[in-house]
Protein backbone atom coordinates (compact mmCIF):
# COMPACT_ATOMS: atom_id res chain seq x y z
CA UNK A 1 0.00 0.00 0.00
CA UNK A 2 1.54 3.26 -1.12
CA UNK A 3 0.19 6.06 1.05
CA UNK A 4 2.32 8.55 -0.89
CA UNK A 5 0.21 8.10 -4.03
CA UNK A 6 -1.14 11.45 -5.20
CA UNK A 7 -4.90 11.07 -5.23
CA UNK A 8 -5.29 14.55 -6.69
CA UNK A 9 -3.42 13.84 -9.94
CA UNK A 10 -5.49 15.57 -12.64
CA UNK A 11 -5.84 15.93 -16.40
CA UNK A 12 -4.23 19.37 -16.57
CA UNK A 13 -1.19 18.32 -14.56
CA UNK A 14 -0.71 15.22 -16.70
CA UNK A 15 -1.00 17.32 -19.87
CA UNK A 16 1.57 19.84 -18.65
CA UNK A 17 3.95 17.06 -17.68
CA UNK A 18 3.55 15.37 -21.05
CA UNK A 19 4.32 18.61 -22.86
CA UNK A 20 7.19 19.47 -20.51
CA UNK A 21 5.32 22.47 -19.17
CA UNK A 22 5.35 24.27 -22.51
CA UNK A 23 1.83 23.68 -23.75
CA UNK A 24 0.32 26.89 -22.39
CA UNK A 25 3.11 29.18 -23.59
CA UNK A 26 2.86 27.88 -27.15
CA UNK A 27 -0.80 28.87 -27.29
CA UNK A 28 -0.59 32.33 -25.71
CA UNK A 29 -0.77 35.48 -27.79
CA UNK A 30 1.24 38.52 -26.72
CA UNK A 31 -1.86 40.01 -25.13
CA UNK A 32 -2.47 36.86 -23.11
CA UNK A 33 1.13 36.77 -21.92
CA UNK A 34 0.75 40.30 -20.57
CA UNK A 35 -1.46 38.72 -17.95
CA UNK A 36 1.68 37.44 -16.26
CA UNK A 37 2.75 40.97 -15.38
CA UNK A 38 -0.50 42.95 -15.29
CA UNK A 39 -2.41 41.54 -12.34
CA UNK A 40 -4.90 44.43 -12.46
CA UNK A 41 -6.69 42.50 -15.18
CA UNK A 42 -7.99 40.19 -12.49
CA UNK A 43 -10.97 40.71 -10.26
CA UNK A 44 -13.18 38.24 -8.51
CA UNK A 45 -16.74 38.13 -7.23
CA UNK A 46 -18.04 35.64 -4.71
CA UNK A 47 -21.44 34.04 -4.64
CA UNK A 48 -23.37 30.81 -4.53
CA UNK A 49 -24.22 28.59 -7.45
CA UNK A 50 -27.62 28.73 -9.11
CA UNK A 51 -28.60 25.28 -10.31
CA UNK A 52 -29.54 25.38 -13.99
CA UNK A 53 -31.37 22.72 -16.00
CA UNK A 54 -28.88 20.10 -17.11
CA UNK A 55 -28.10 19.83 -20.81
CA UNK A 56 -25.96 16.74 -20.60
CA UNK A 57 -27.19 15.15 -17.44
CA UNK A 58 -28.86 15.76 -14.10
CA UNK A 59 -28.68 18.54 -11.54
CA UNK A 60 -29.19 18.37 -7.83
CA UNK A 61 -27.67 18.44 -4.36
CA UNK A 62 -25.34 15.78 -2.96
CA UNK A 63 -25.39 14.89 0.73
CA UNK A 64 -21.96 13.34 1.22
CA UNK A 65 -21.46 13.42 5.01
CA UNK A 66 -23.43 14.39 8.12
CA UNK A 67 -21.16 17.37 8.88
CA UNK A 68 -20.95 18.75 5.30
CA UNK A 69 -23.81 20.84 3.80
CA UNK A 70 -25.43 19.55 0.63
CA UNK A 71 -23.26 20.32 -2.40
CA UNK A 72 -24.78 21.38 -5.76
CA UNK A 73 -23.88 19.59 -8.98
CA UNK A 74 -24.86 20.12 -12.61
CA UNK A 75 -23.94 16.78 -14.15
CA UNK A 76 -23.44 13.20 -13.08
CA UNK A 77 -19.69 13.71 -13.54
CA UNK A 78 -19.75 16.64 -11.09
CA UNK A 79 -21.82 14.53 -8.69
CA UNK A 80 -19.30 11.71 -8.91
CA UNK A 81 -16.41 14.11 -8.25
CA UNK A 82 -18.15 15.51 -5.17
CA UNK A 83 -18.58 12.02 -3.69
CA UNK A 84 -15.03 11.08 -4.65
CA UNK A 85 -13.52 14.20 -3.07
CA UNK A 86 -15.62 13.88 0.08
CA UNK A 87 -14.30 10.38 0.62
CA UNK A 88 -10.64 11.39 0.53
CA UNK A 89 -8.65 11.89 3.73
CA UNK A 90 -8.04 15.41 4.95
CA UNK A 91 -10.79 17.12 2.92
CA UNK A 92 -12.23 20.00 4.94
CA UNK A 93 -14.14 22.10 2.39
CA UNK A 94 -15.98 21.40 -0.87
CA UNK A 95 -17.62 24.57 -2.16
CA UNK A 96 -19.56 24.92 -5.40
CA UNK A 97 -18.67 27.76 -7.80
CA UNK A 98 -16.94 29.83 -5.10
CA UNK A 99 -15.42 32.55 -7.26
CA UNK A 100 -15.73 34.19 -10.67
CA UNK A 101 -12.45 35.11 -12.35
CA UNK A 102 -12.42 38.13 -14.66
CA UNK A 103 -9.75 38.54 -17.33
CA UNK A 104 -9.09 40.02 -20.79
CA UNK A 105 -8.68 37.96 -23.95
CA UNK A 106 -6.29 38.72 -26.82
CA UNK A 107 -8.77 41.28 -28.22
CA UNK A 108 -8.95 43.09 -24.86
CA UNK A 109 -12.50 41.87 -24.31
CA UNK A 110 -13.36 41.19 -20.71
CA UNK A 111 -14.22 37.54 -20.02
CA UNK A 112 -15.47 35.75 -16.94
CA UNK A 113 -14.82 32.20 -15.81
CA UNK A 114 -16.28 30.39 -12.82
CA UNK A 115 -14.57 27.12 -11.84
CA UNK A 116 -16.87 24.36 -10.65
CA UNK A 117 -15.52 23.75 -7.15
CA UNK A 118 -13.09 24.80 -4.49
CA UNK A 119 -11.62 22.00 -2.38
CA UNK A 120 -9.52 22.54 0.73
CA UNK A 121 -7.68 19.54 2.11
CA UNK A 122 -4.75 18.63 4.30
CA UNK A 123 -2.00 16.96 2.32
CA UNK A 124 -0.83 13.82 4.16
CA UNK A 125 2.60 14.02 5.78
CA UNK A 126 4.72 11.99 8.21
CA UNK A 127 2.76 13.30 11.19
CA UNK A 128 -0.23 15.50 11.96
CA UNK A 129 1.96 18.56 12.53
CA UNK A 130 3.51 18.19 9.08
CA UNK A 131 0.26 18.16 7.14
CA UNK A 132 0.05 20.95 4.55
CA UNK A 133 -3.22 22.76 3.85
CA UNK A 134 -3.95 22.83 0.09
CA UNK A 135 -6.56 24.98 -1.67
CA UNK A 136 -7.60 23.64 -5.06
CA UNK A 137 -9.80 25.31 -7.68
CA UNK A 138 -11.43 22.56 -9.74
CA UNK A 139 -12.95 22.35 -13.22
CA UNK A 140 -14.90 19.22 -14.19
CA UNK A 141 -14.96 18.40 -17.90
CA UNK A 142 -15.65 15.38 -20.05
CA UNK A 143 -12.57 14.33 -21.99
CA UNK A 144 -14.29 14.80 -25.34
CA UNK A 145 -14.86 18.48 -24.51
CA UNK A 146 -11.15 18.95 -23.83
CA UNK A 147 -10.13 17.36 -27.12
CA UNK A 148 -12.87 18.89 -29.28
CA UNK A 149 -13.05 22.12 -31.32
CA UNK A 150 -13.32 24.29 -28.19
CA UNK A 151 -10.04 22.97 -26.81
CA UNK A 152 -7.93 26.11 -27.57
CA UNK A 153 -10.45 28.40 -25.83
CA UNK A 154 -10.65 26.09 -22.84
CA UNK A 155 -6.87 25.86 -22.52
CA UNK A 156 -6.53 29.64 -22.64
CA UNK A 157 -9.22 29.97 -19.96
CA UNK A 158 -7.53 27.35 -17.82
CA UNK A 159 -4.24 29.18 -18.22
CA UNK A 160 -5.73 32.34 -16.74
CA UNK A 161 -7.33 30.37 -13.90
CA UNK A 162 -4.07 28.58 -13.13
CA UNK A 163 -2.08 31.81 -12.84
CA UNK A 164 -4.90 33.50 -10.90
CA UNK A 165 -4.82 30.63 -8.40
CA UNK A 166 -1.03 30.59 -8.16
CA UNK A 167 -0.91 34.28 -7.28
CA UNK A 168 -3.01 33.40 -4.23
CA UNK A 169 -0.98 30.36 -3.27
CA UNK A 170 -3.72 28.04 -4.57
CA UNK A 171 -3.74 25.33 -7.24
CA UNK A 172 -5.95 24.79 -10.29
CA UNK A 173 -6.92 21.36 -11.56
CA UNK A 174 -9.08 19.83 -14.29
CA UNK A 175 -10.66 16.43 -13.68
CA UNK A 176 -12.24 14.25 -16.37
CA UNK A 177 -14.05 10.94 -16.22
CA UNK A 178 -10.65 9.24 -16.44
CA UNK A 179 -9.61 10.65 -13.07
CA UNK A 180 -13.05 10.49 -11.46
CA UNK A 181 -14.71 7.25 -12.56
CA UNK A 182 -12.14 4.91 -11.10
CA UNK A 183 -12.11 1.97 -8.67
CA UNK A 184 -11.68 4.60 -5.95
CA UNK A 185 -15.10 6.06 -6.84
CA UNK A 186 -16.75 2.62 -6.66
CA UNK A 187 -15.15 2.09 -3.25
CA UNK A 188 -16.33 5.52 -2.09
CA UNK A 189 -19.89 4.88 -3.25
CA UNK A 190 -19.97 1.69 -1.21
CA UNK A 191 -18.57 3.39 1.90
CA UNK A 192 -20.56 6.65 1.78
CA UNK A 193 -23.65 5.38 3.68
CA UNK A 194 -21.42 4.28 6.57
CA UNK A 195 -20.35 7.91 7.17
CA UNK A 196 -23.85 8.48 8.54
CA UNK A 197 -23.67 5.58 11.01
CA UNK A 198 -23.21 6.28 14.70
CA UNK A 199 -19.82 5.26 16.02
CA UNK A 200 -19.64 2.43 18.55
CA UNK A 201 -16.86 4.10 20.50
CA UNK A 202 -15.72 1.15 22.63
CA UNK A 203 -15.66 -1.18 19.63
CA UNK A 204 -13.85 1.45 17.55
CA UNK A 205 -11.17 1.71 20.23
CA UNK A 206 -10.71 -2.07 20.36
CA UNK A 207 -10.48 -2.38 16.56
CA UNK A 208 -8.00 0.47 16.38
CA UNK A 209 -5.92 -1.09 19.15
CA UNK A 210 -5.85 -4.42 17.30
CA UNK A 211 -4.72 -2.75 14.04
CA UNK A 212 -1.99 -0.77 15.77
CA UNK A 213 -0.69 -3.81 17.63
CA UNK A 214 -0.38 -5.86 14.45
CA UNK A 215 0.72 -3.10 12.06
CA UNK A 216 -1.33 -4.54 9.22
CA UNK A 217 -4.35 -6.82 9.40
CA UNK A 218 -7.05 -7.93 6.95
CA UNK A 219 -10.73 -7.27 7.47
CA UNK A 220 -11.25 -11.03 7.67
CA UNK A 221 -8.74 -11.28 10.50
CA UNK A 222 -10.48 -8.47 12.38
CA UNK A 223 -13.81 -10.26 11.97
CA UNK A 224 -12.42 -13.48 13.45
CA UNK A 225 -10.95 -11.66 16.47
CA UNK A 226 -12.90 -12.02 19.70
CA UNK A 227 -14.72 -8.81 20.61
CA UNK A 228 -16.85 -9.72 23.64
CA UNK A 229 -20.46 -8.47 23.57
CA UNK A 230 -20.28 -7.55 19.84
CA UNK A 231 -21.66 -9.56 16.94
CA UNK A 232 -19.78 -10.11 13.69
CA UNK A 233 -22.30 -7.86 11.93
CA UNK A 234 -21.58 -5.03 14.38
CA UNK A 235 -17.83 -5.46 13.95
CA UNK A 236 -18.16 -5.46 10.15
CA UNK A 237 -20.27 -2.29 10.20
CA UNK A 238 -17.84 -0.52 12.52
CA UNK A 239 -14.85 -1.42 10.31
CA UNK A 240 -16.63 0.01 7.27
CA UNK A 241 -17.63 3.12 9.21
CA UNK A 242 -14.01 3.65 10.27
CA UNK A 243 -12.86 3.26 6.66
CA UNK A 244 -15.56 5.65 5.45
CA UNK A 245 -14.48 8.24 8.03
CA UNK A 246 -10.78 7.72 7.17
CA UNK A 247 -10.04 6.68 10.75
CA UNK A 248 -8.10 3.71 9.37
CA UNK A 249 -6.42 3.21 6.01
CA UNK A 250 -6.78 0.80 3.10
CA UNK A 251 -5.70 1.20 -0.51
CA UNK A 252 -8.27 3.55 -2.14
CA UNK A 253 -7.86 1.84 -5.53
CA UNK A 254 -8.81 -1.60 -4.21
CA UNK A 255 -12.32 -2.86 -3.63
CA UNK A 256 -13.15 -3.80 -0.06
CA UNK A 257 -13.31 -7.53 0.71
CA UNK A 258 -12.35 -9.70 3.66
CA UNK A 259 -8.84 -9.85 2.12
CA UNK A 260 -8.48 -6.05 2.27
CA UNK A 261 -5.45 -4.98 4.30
CA UNK A 262 -6.21 -2.30 6.87
CA UNK A 263 -3.59 -0.13 8.58
CA UNK A 264 -3.61 2.65 11.12
CA UNK A 265 -2.72 6.06 9.71
CA UNK A 266 -0.17 6.32 12.49
CA UNK A 267 1.61 2.96 12.10
CA UNK A 268 4.29 4.17 9.69
CA UNK A 269 5.76 7.40 8.38
CA UNK A 270 4.81 6.53 4.78
CA UNK A 271 1.64 8.62 4.90
Amino acid sequence: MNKNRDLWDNWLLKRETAQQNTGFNENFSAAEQMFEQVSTFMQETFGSREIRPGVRSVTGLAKVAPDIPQIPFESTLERDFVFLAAGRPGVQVIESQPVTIRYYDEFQHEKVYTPDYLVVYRQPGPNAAGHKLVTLLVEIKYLEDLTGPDSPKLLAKFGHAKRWAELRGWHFAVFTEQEIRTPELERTRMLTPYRFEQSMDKLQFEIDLLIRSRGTVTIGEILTHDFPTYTEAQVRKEILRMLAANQVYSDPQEQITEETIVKSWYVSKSL
Side-chain angles (χ1 to χ4, degrees), residues 166-185:
E166 287 174 347
L167 286 172
R168 287 154 178 78
W170 297 2
H171 301 273
F172 176 77
V174 179
F175 292 91
T176 72
E177 64 270 29
Q178 288 187 344
E179 293 80 34
I180 296 172
R181 290 174 175 163
T182 63
E184 183 191 358
L185 175 63

Side-chain angles (χ1 to χ4, degrees), residues 104-228:
Y104 290 93
D105 65 13
E106 65 270 31
F107 304 109
Q108 295 299 295
H109 296 152
E110 187 180 37
K111 301 291 183 178
V112 295
Y113 168 48
T114 304
D116 292 316
Y117 294 100
L118 180 142
V119 178
V120 179
Y121 65 95
R122 288 202 174 274
Q123 194 172 53
N127 51 62
H131 290 190
K132 176 185 176 183
L133 198 64
V134 177
T135 301
L136 188 70
L137 279 179
V138 172
E139 177 68 20
I140 307 300
K141 276 282 184 288
Y142 284 94
L143 190 59
E144 67 177 11
D145 294 332
L146 297 171
T147 56
D150 289 336
S151 177
K153 292 182 180 179
L154 289 173
L155 289 173
K157 181 168 64 175
F158 296 161
H160 286 290
K162 183 174 183 289
R163 293 190 298 278
W164 185 93
E166 287 174 347
L167 286 172
R168 287 154 178 78
W170 297 2
H171 301 273
F172 176 77
V174 179
F175 292 91
T176 72
E177 64 270 29
Q178 288 187 344
E179 293 80 34
I180 296 172
R181 290 174 175 163
T182 63
E184 183 191 358
L185 175 63
E186 294 306 311
R187 178 183 184 274
T188 299
R189 282 174 170 164
M190 189 276 281
L191 287 174
T192 294
Y194 291 95
R195 292 194 205 123
F196 297 87
E197 294 286 346
Q198 187 69 32
S199 169
M200 290 179 277
D201 293 339
K202 185 175 183 297
L203 178 58
Q204 175 191 332
F205 174 80
E206 293 181 6
I207 292 173
D208 190 57
L209 189 63
L210 172 65
I211 295 171
R212 292 184 187 223
S213 66
R214 295 195 183 180
T216 61
V217 60
T218 67
I219 289 179
E221 289 170 337
I222 297 173
L223 291 173
T224 58
H225 186 79
D226 182 25
F227 294 101

Side-chain angles (χ1 to χ4, degrees), residues 76-88:
T76 56
L77 191 61
E78 287 191 8
R79 178 203 62 198
D80 290 347
F81 171 79
V82 166
F83 277 97
L84 182 71
R88 287 179 170 174

Side-chain angles (χ1 to χ4, degrees), residues 52-75:
R52 303 185 297 274
V55 175
R56 194 174 213 146
S57 192
V58 301
T59 62
L61 298 168
K63 184 62 176 174
V64 296
D67 56 344
I68 298 178
Q70 294 185 96
I71 303 170
F73 59 85
E74 294 183 348
S75 71

